[in-house]
Amino acid sequence: MSSLRRNERGIGLPEVIIAIFLTTIGVLAILSLQPSAWRTVGRSDFLGRAAEVLYKEMDTRETWIMNPCNAVATGTTTTAVKTSGMAGTIAGDATYTVTTTITSIGTGVWRVTVRVTWPINQTGISESLVVTRQEKFRFPEGCPSV
């Protein structure tokens, strides 16, 4: 038999208190991150919805301009868009302001600039693209040239 005595008493009170203290500090550190995480999630939700509104508007304008049968009105238009697409406000809905500017930069060539803002971000996001007429987009067939 070994001459060394084993300590088989288990975990003592000081060890338990230290473990509780360290666990409490870890939980409080995680909880302190929660408010900033909520803010970040809120901002990313607004930004994601704004990006969807922006690219839908750009796609609509681009498709309209590429069709040689459609007349292109230059200038700036501003509209309010609800992300739900409904006329009335529903829970979780947000209203975005969409400003679209179309300028002629040559014969049959236009620049479309779209800016989307929302109440907590007046700077918003914007994008622009250059659009030309495309004969493959002519609809209806045989329409007169504008």
Side-chain angles (χ1 to χ4, degrees):
M1 191 158 205
S2 173
S3 62
L4 297 174
R5 290 190 75 193
R6 289 186 175 180
N7 183 1
E8 296 184 16
R9 294 185 322 187
I11 299 175
L13 186 60
E15 289 89 359
V16 170
I17 291 173
I18 290 172
I20 290 172
F21 176 73
L22 291 175
T23 303
T24 302
I25 293 206
V27 169
L28 289 176
I30 290 172
L31 289 177
S32 70
L33 296 174
Q34 197 65 30
S36 64
W38 287 333
R39 282 190 299 274
T40 302
V41 166
R43 281 194 303 265
S44 67
D45 182 44
F46 274 105
L47 186 59
R49 291 180 188 205
E52 177 185 2
V53 169
L54 182 134
Y55 286 109
K56 182 179 179 195
E57 176 71 10
M58 289 186 73
D59 188 50
T60 300
R61 299 298 177 143
E62 179 183 28
T63 303
W64 179 265
I65 292 171
M66 287 193 316
N67 185 350
C69 297
N70 297 329
V72 179
T74 59
T76 301
T77 58
T78 301
T79 56
V81 175
K82 295 186 186 311
T83 54
S84 66
M86 303 291 200
T89 303
I90 61 172
D93 206 358
T95 302
Y96 293 88
T97 303
V98 180
T99 306
T100 305
T101 305
I102 300 174
T103 54
S104 178
I105 57 174
T107 305
V109 181
W110 293 268
R111 175 176 286 117
V112 178
T113 304
V114 179
R115 176 173 298 280
V116 178
T117 60
W118 54 98
I120 60 173
N121 187 339
Q122 295 303 312
T123 304
I125 59 174
S126 66
E127 188 72 49
S128 65
L129 68 124
V130 175
V131 184
T132 61
R133 296 288 194 181
Q134 303 288 323
E135 278 302 316
K136 289 185 176 187
F137 281 82
R138 183 176 292 277
F139 184 83
E141 289 290 325
C143 69
S145 296
V146 178

